[in-house]
Amino acid sequence: MIIAIFTLLILFTIFCLFCRLILLNLSKKTTLAEQIKPPYAVLSVKNCEGCIEALIRSIARQMKFGECVNSLDTLIVTDLGSEDDTPIILEKLGLEYPFIYCMSQEEYKKTVDG
C-alpha cells in the first residue's frame, strides 16, 4: 500500500513538472521576426491562384528533403495584394508547413523593419 502511494506521489510530481514546463513554453511571447530562422528566402506573389499551390508544395518538398541549394530553413511568401484566392491558398499552406510564413506586404515590412 505504501509503495502504491509513493508511486502515485512520484507520478503526480512528474506530471506537475511536465505541466509547468508546458506553461512556461506557452507563456514565452516571441515576435514573428524571432520565429523566422535564417537562412530564408522571400517569394513575392500576386494573383497566382492557378499555380501557387504547386509551386509552394514543390519548394516545401525540396526544403524538407534538403534538396534546396544552401539548405533553406524558412520560406517567407508575401502577397502583394492579390484579388483572387491566392491569400486563402497561402494561409492554408502556411498552416500545413510550419517552416513557411505567408503574410501580406504590410506584415512583411513590419517584420523586417521591426
Side-chain angles (χ1 to χ4, degrees):
M1 180 72 173
I2 294 175
I3 295 174
I5 293 172
F6 185 70
T7 304
L8 286 174
L9 182 61
I10 290 174
L11 289 173
F12 181 73
T13 303
I14 292 170
F15 176 75
C16 289
L17 289 173
F18 181 71
C19 289
R20 182 176 168 90
L21 287 174
I22 290 174
L23 289 174
L24 285 174
N25 285 336
L26 291 177
S27 65
K28 289 181 183 176
K29 293 183 179 178
T30 58
T31 63
L32 184 58
E34 293 171 333
Q35 294 174 22
I36 296 174
K37 299 176 186 174
Y40 61 85
V42 179
L43 176 65
S44 298
V45 298
K46 184 173 182 179
N47 296 328
C48 299
E49 70 180 355
C51 63
I52 193 65
E53 186 167 0
L55 174 66
I56 299 292
R57 288 190 187 282
S58 174
I59 293 171
R61 185 181 65 251
Q62 293 174 43
M63 289 174 68
K64 186 175 180 181
F65 295 110
E67 299 169 7
C68 277
V69 178
N70 298 327
S71 299
L72 292 173
D73 289 333
T74 305
L75 175 65
I76 301 171
V77 184
T78 60
D79 181 65
L80 303 176
S82 295
E83 297 172 354
D84 60 3
D85 286 339
T86 300
I88 296 167
I89 296 167
L90 292 177
E91 185 177 338
K92 179 182 80 169
L93 293 169
L95 293 172
E96 188 174 335
Y97 299 105
F99 49 88
I100 295 178
Y101 294 87
C102 301
M103 59 188 76
S104 68
Q105 188 175 18
E106 293 79 24
E107 290 172 316
Y108 177 72
K109 285 180 183 177
K110 287 179 190 175
T111 302
V112 171
D113 294 339

